[in-house]
Each structure stands twice: as structure tokens, then as C-alpha cells.
Amino acid sequence: MGHTSISAVVVLIAAWCFCVAAVVLSLCVGQYPLSVAQVVQVLSSSIWGGTGVPVEEAARIVVWEVRLPRVLAGLVVGAALAAAGGTYQGMFRNPLVSPDILGVSAGAGLGAAWGISIGASMLVVQSMAFGGGVLAVALVWLAAATVRRHDPVLVLVLAGIAVGTLLGAGVALLKVLADPYTQLSAITFWLLGGLNAVTLADVRSTAPIMLVGLLPLVLLRWRVNILSLSDDEAQALGVHVQRLRLTMVAAATLMTAAAVSITGIIGWVGLVVPHVARLLVGPEFGRLLPVAMLLGAGFVVLADTLARSTVGMELPLGVVTALVGAPVFLWLLARSGRWSAADG
């Protein structure tokens, strides 16, 4: 095992420890503080039958019904957004790309805003958000497929910007037409993102979709590295570029749409976290993917802990990720010096 492999293993272990520490902190910190021993006691009493020590009912409710669903949702959403961001950045050969570059967030926002404006249930709103995100990316892909005379990656990005802007205008129109006393506030808070309304049922329903999206990324991880080359070079290596790019876009879109559908729009995770992982382990996708997922999961859990415990009221998660992510991104920008998908 070479020095690079050893370094990657060390970083992976450190990322795992960061994720575990974020989970423990999230389960302990809040308006009802708990010690690590209390959390362990609550979890063990429910899973393994306990140690004979009585468990406080209030502690059990706080852990199992309030904090644990948020922690699990933060883990899967953070991992999904980071994995999607790393995929897009490698595929588009640009570390400035984020998971919403192809309009998935705008499409999900329009679907959710539409569902809220017609008074649909939360399940229907989530379904419409997921469908809106997938349809938005499908529209972007079809629009880009009609243009043959330009660089396909550039056309795809420009089509994503155009469609995203159009869908964003639709969201703005729905906000203008919404009831200002009920619907408008619900739409606004959904767009800001948060884990406060997420349940274990939501996690159970979306986690399989995220796993389906993750599977091609794991199985084809070495081919993502080839997409960082030009299309001619990739085809010379025997890779069907269009088919592979479509597979990666579909997989990353499924993960992003599933995540956004239950939490709302959470920015900066898919942009900053993969770049941090790239600085730590390099651009090789097989090493970058697990590190980015662990860092993304821990980051979202930690940001949610800050959102619900730093002030007297709960802050929207999207606001906290922006407040943390933007300065970190600027620091990375100043530190890295050069910007390319191949930078380590």
C-alpha cells in the first residue's frame, strides 16, 4: 500500500470520526440537554433491552421521537448531496458546479410550492417536489440534446441555468399568488430548507431512492474519472460518453431530488463539501466519494444542531449552511489558487 493510499485511509477514518462526533453532539445538545451516558442508555434500552437502569420517559421521547429522526435525515441528505455534488463536479470538469446546476432544486421548489398552494398534504408536496426536480433535469437534458454544434457539457450547463431561471420565475409567481397568511409562509420556509418536519417515515421512503442513485456511482466510479477528460479522449479509451453522462446525471438527480423533497433546498453542501474532500484525498473519484459522503453527512447534522440550539428560535437549515459554507468556500478559493477538476 503506497503513501497515497495510506493517506486516503487516514482521511477516511478522520471523516468517519467527524461524522460520529456530529451525531453524538446532535443527540446530546438542545433545549433539553442530555449526557452521552443518557443517550447510550436510551438507545440500549430500546434496542437491546437496557441495562436494568430505569430510563426517563422525557429522555426517551427527546432521543427517539425528536432528535434521532433529524439525525438520520441529516445523515442521508448530507451524504446524498455531497455525492451528487462530487459527481457533477467531476463530470463537468469544474469544482464550481453544485447539484442544482441542472435545475433540480428549482424544479423541486416549483413542485413543492405548487403543492402547498393547492393545499395538498405533506406526502403529496414531497412527491410533487421529487417529481418536479426529476422533470426539470429531464427538460434540461432534452433541451441540450437538440443542440449539436457546441460543446455538450457547456450546452448542458447553459440549458440548466435557463431552465432553472424559468422555474424560479414560476416559484416567484406562486408566492405572489399565495395566501399571505398561510401559504406564503409555508412556501418560504420550505424553500429555506430544514429537518424540523422530517419523520422516520420520510427517511424510510426516500433512502431507497438515494441508494438506487448511489449504486451506479459506486459501480462506475472509475469511469467518472474518465469523464474529466475531453470527449474525444474518453471515446478513445472505449467509453460511450453520452450514455455514461446520462447515467451519472440520472443517478445524481435521483439522489438530489429525493433529498430536497423531504428537507427543502439546502445549499452549499454539494458545492463546498466535495471540494474539501478533493483537497484532502485528490480527484480520484473512488477515494473522493466515501470521504465526501461522510463529510457531507456530518456537516448537515452539525449545521442542523447549530440551527436549533444557537438562538432562542430555530433557524432555517439552508440559512445556517450558507452562513457556514460561504466563508469556507471563500477560504478554499483563496487557498487552492488554481481551479480545475484535476486539482488536488
Side-chain angles (χ1 to χ4, degrees), residues 9-256:
V9 171
V10 172
V11 172
L12 184 63
I13 294 173
W16 174 259
C17 292
F18 166 72
C19 189
V20 172
V23 169
V24 173
L25 182 66
S26 182
L27 290 175
C28 293
V29 173
Q31 298 297 321
Y32 187 89
L34 297 171
S35 66
V36 176
Q38 286 177 298
V39 171
V40 172
Q41 183 182 345
V42 169
L43 295 176
S44 63
S45 66
S46 300
I47 298 175
W48 296 293
T51 59
V53 180
V55 176
E56 295 183 17
E57 182 63 17
R60 189 195 66 79
I61 293 175
V62 166
V63 171
W64 279 103
E65 299 183 19
V66 178
R67 294 179 187 169
L68 191 59
R70 297 180 71 139
V71 168
L72 293 177
L75 290 174
V76 297
V77 167
L81 293 177
T87 302
Y88 280 132
Q89 289 175 8
M91 183 173 60
F92 292 135
R93 305 187 288 272
N94 191 334
L96 294 175
V97 171
S98 62
D100 57 357
I101 190 67
L102 299 185
V104 60
S105 295
L110 181 60
W114 188 8
I116 293 171
S117 65
I118 63 176
S121 65
M122 182 54 65
L123 179 61
V124 174
V125 169
Q126 292 173 350
S127 300
M128 293 179 69
F130 177 79
V134 173
L135 289 175
V137 176
L139 180 61
V140 168
W141 187 271
L142 290 175
T146 61
V147 180
R148 301 286 186 181
R149 293 174 296 177
H150 300 283
D151 177 62
V153 173
L154 178 61
V155 171
L156 198 61
V157 171
L158 293 178
I161 293 173
V163 171
T165 302
L166 179 63
L167 297 176
V171 173
L173 179 61
L174 287 175
K175 291 173 70 174
V176 170
L177 299 176
D179 185 339
Y181 298 104
T182 55
Q183 298 172 346
L184 181 59
S185 59
I187 293 173
T188 301
F189 277 106
W190 192 94
L191 293 174
L192 290 174
L195 303 178
N196 55 301
V198 179
T199 64
L200 286 176
D202 296 332
V203 177
R204 284 195 296 265
S205 64
T206 55
I209 300 175
M210 298 180 193
L211 288 176
V212 169
L214 179 63
L215 187 61
L217 303 185
V218 175
L219 296 178
L220 302 174
R221 57 191 179 276
W222 66 273
R223 291 177 179 260
V224 178
N225 298 321
I226 297 179
L227 286 178
S228 64
L229 305 173
S230 67
D231 288 2
D232 292 338
E233 291 175 309
Q235 288 173 351
L237 293 173
V239 174
H240 194 294
V241 177
Q242 282 293 97
R243 185 184 305 160
L244 178 59
R245 187 172 289 135
L246 177 59
T247 301
M248 295 297 102
V249 167
T253 298
L254 276 179
M255 299 178 72
T256 305

